[in-house]
Amino acid sequence: RMFKPENLFIGLMGRGSGGTVKPIEGVGMYVIVVASAQELPDVEELYEQIKTPTTDGGKEPVIVFYNLKLDVLRGDLGAPAFPGKDFQDRFLSRVKPVYYLRTRQYSRSVSQPPFIINFQGCIFRSYPGHFQTLLDTGTGRYRKVVGNDLRPALGEFKEQLTDALREEGAIAKKEEEGALFGFLRTGYKTTTWWEDEREDASLEWRT
């Protein structure tokens, strides 16, 4: 990418490079190592230019996002001077997770000692395998809880871990704690904005 001062403002607004991003002839793979949320439209601009042309071997060039923490960058979309939230549905949702590992830690109160249970797990995928919900057993190992071809939203992932603890008897079953108490634990909002079922939203991020 060639830097031009007149394109600085365009880049800060998250609207691409203004035409300074150009593909390299004969390249079959582009690896994106570092990119901020404001720079991601540059990658979309590159994709739009290479999605039809093919390399000398007759294959369409590919773009690899290398450890960019896209789930974190998605949180900036829609903020002032950042790309709009439509960028998630238009482009980011189409990025295929090839190797994916997302860990989360949770705490849950119980009515008997130790009164607080800390648990953690992760969503794991190694393409072309399916998405796996793994529960940390506390012994340095993970136990598979659920496997699915569709990636679970964070709220669904947490509930899968919780159900596994219920099966082990570590926490009370749903019918024992009551529907109202269960709702107060989980709350009304259990997903991030881009996981919500919105009008015209793309669900390709789940595959």
Side-chain angles (χ1 to χ4, degrees):
R1 174 182 177 178
M2 296 178 59
F3 174 76
K4 294 183 179 180
E6 61 269 24
N7 290 322
L8 178 60
F9 180 74
I10 297 176
L12 288 176
M13 295 302 294
R15 297 178 181 175
S17 69
T20 59
V21 172
K22 300 295 182 182
I24 302 174
E25 185 176 353
V27 171
M29 177 183 295
Y30 297 85
V31 181
I32 312 301
V33 179
V34 179
S36 67
Q38 293 169 320
E39 294 171 321
L40 288 176
D42 293 353
V43 185
E44 180 187 28
E45 186 177 333
L46 173 64
Y47 170 74
E48 291 297 329
Q49 297 179 71
I50 68 171
K51 63 181 182 181
T52 302
T54 58
T55 61
D56 294 338
K59 295 183 178 179
E60 183 177 301
V62 297
I63 299 177
V64 177
F65 292 73
Y66 185 78
N67 198 26
L68 292 190
K69 298 183 179 180
L70 292 183
D71 288 346
V72 176
L73 298 182
R74 285 181 173 105
D76 293 328
L77 300 182
F82 285 88
K85 290 186 175 182
D86 62 308
F87 183 69
Q88 157 66 17
D89 299 316
R90 186 179 71 246
F91 181 67
L92 280 190
S93 64
R94 304 169 67 182
V95 178
K96 183 78 66 177
V98 175
Y99 187 85
Y100 184 83
L101 180 66
R102 187 177 192 182
T103 59
R104 280 292 182 272
Q105 297 178 339
Y106 302 102
S107 296
R108 188 180 182 90
S109 60
V110 292
S111 59
Q112 56 189 5
F115 300 112
I116 294 291
I117 293 180
N118 298 313
F119 61 100
Q120 61 185 15
C122 67
I123 304 175
F124 173 75
R125 186 197 202 182
S126 180
Y127 188 84
H130 56 201
F131 290 95
Q132 302 178 51
T133 295
L134 306 178
L135 175 66
D136 189 338
T137 62
T139 62
R141 296 178 178 274
Y142 285 87
R143 176 171 68 85
K144 180 180 177 181
V145 174
V146 180
N148 201 307
D149 290 333
L150 297 179
R151 171 181 163 183
L154 279 183
E156 182 183 356
F157 162 69
K158 180 181 179 181
E159 189 62 26
Q160 290 171 347
L161 295 181
T162 304
D163 287 342
L165 294 176
R166 289 193 180 102
E167 293 176 1
E168 296 177 354
I171 60 176
K173 297 185 180 299
K174 286 185 177 181
E175 56 270 19
E176 295 175 359
E177 69 177 9
L180 176 60
F181 193 53
F183 173 79
L184 294 176
R185 286 184 181 278
T186 57
Y188 171 74
K189 186 70 173 178
T190 60
T191 59
T192 56
W193 70 264
W194 49 270
E195 295 174 329
D196 291 339
E197 294 183 3
R198 297 165 287 110
E199 184 178 359
D200 299 326
S202 171
L203 296 179
E204 289 188 80
W205 63 270
R206 301 199 65 183
T207 61

